[in-house]
Amino acid sequence: MQTLTIAFDLDGTLVETAPDLIRATNHVMTLTGLPAVEGPDIRPYISFGARAMIEAAVKMHGSKRDSAEVDRLYAEFLTHYADNIAVESHAFPGLEAALDRLAARGARFAVCTNKSEVLSRQLLTALGLINRFKAIAGRDTFAVYKPNPAHLTGVIERAGGDPTRAIMVGDSETDIATARAADIPVIGVPFGYTATPMRDLGPDIVMEHYDQLDAAVEQLSTPKER
């Protein structure tokens, strides 16, 4: 394999973060005097960020909060989440073995996420994954963020890679749109947080499990298959 950079989304792609994000959402629900929300109900909003999760949870109870109150709840969310960032979060099955195999073949890895860079690094450090990635770009790393393609190409270049020799792996419509805008092949995973079935989003390949990552990368990194 020629040097290849694989850029991954974080939440719902590399790591199952839903339990800790949902717990943080329900923590701020207690501050509003509203009941907790059920995990399956709020899970599809994870890909839109914490603020969207809070607003959706409030709306589920037929309520609404003004922007100043949402700002306050968002700040409380971030504090609680940072203090409990890896209570139940874990790498998806097969991830680490797949990274080992691809690294042995010369691939390098990066993270392209709309989570803040500080929280992304904190999470990956807590899970013992931080050293696997040559570069990590969060929502606040550059002047732009997904779906702007410069977020993806920027982190690939920061990892020492070439966007023409790269692949994106993600779980959401935003990830697919970012990769398309950057003209980078994209692998979609169906076990993340989008409410739309991954196959309907039109990635180049849908990968059901990380055991399939090697074959997907091989297919997309072979010129005749592009």
Side-chain angles (χ1 to χ4, degrees), residues 9 11-13 16 18 40-49 92 170-177 187-203 206:
D9 173 55
D11 297 80
T13 299
E16 170 65 281
D41 292 336
I42 201 66
R43 184 184 174 96
Y45 294 91
I46 292 175
S47 64
F48 298 107
F92 281 105
D171 75 305
S172 72
E173 182 177 3
T174 298
D175 296 322
I176 306 304
I187 298 168
V189 300
F191 43 75
Y193 306 138
T194 178
T196 304
M198 178 50 66
R199 292 186 185 280
D200 292 348
L201 298 179
V206 175

Side-chain angles (χ1 to χ4, degrees), residues 21-182:
L21 290 166
I22 292 167
R23 183 182 296 104
T25 301
N26 281 328
H27 168 72
V28 300
M29 285 299 97
T30 66
L31 302 179
T32 70
L34 294 172
V37 293
E38 295 295 326
D41 292 336
I42 201 66
R43 184 184 174 96
Y45 294 91
I46 292 175
S47 64
F48 298 107
R51 188 181 297 273
M53 292 178 70
I54 294 166
E55 292 174 334
V58 170
K59 187 176 181 180
M60 285 174 190
H61 294 299
S63 188
K64 186 177 181 180
R65 296 294 185 273
D66 62 27
S67 59
E69 177 67 0
V70 173
D71 288 344
R72 184 183 75 83
L73 295 174
Y74 178 61
E76 291 284 353
F77 177 105
L78 293 178
T79 297
H80 185 275
Y81 181 61
D83 290 342
N84 300 274
I85 200 165
V87 175
E88 294 185 66
S89 294
H90 58 272
F92 281 105
L95 170 68
E96 294 190 73
L99 295 182
D100 286 341
R101 292 191 300 271
L102 288 166
R105 296 167 60 193
R108 60 166 61 90
F109 311 117
V111 175
C112 183
T113 175
N114 279 348
K115 201 185 202 79
S116 74
E117 183 176 341
V118 168
L119 287 177
S120 299
R121 290 183 177 277
Q122 182 182 343
L123 174 62
L124 292 169
T125 298
L127 297 178
L129 297 171
I130 189 76
N131 291 330
R132 292 182 176 273
F133 301 98
K134 297 291 187 182
I136 297 166
R139 185 185 186 93
D140 52 351
T141 301
F142 303 124
V144 297
Y145 52 85
K146 296 185 296 185
N148 191 303
H151 188 183
L152 177 55
T153 57
V155 75
I156 290 167
E157 291 166 354
R158 182 169 287 193
D162 180 345
T164 67
R165 287 289 301 153
I167 292 171
M168 174 73 179
V169 183
D171 75 305
S172 72
E173 182 177 3
T174 298
D175 296 322
I176 306 304
T178 304
R180 292 292 181 229

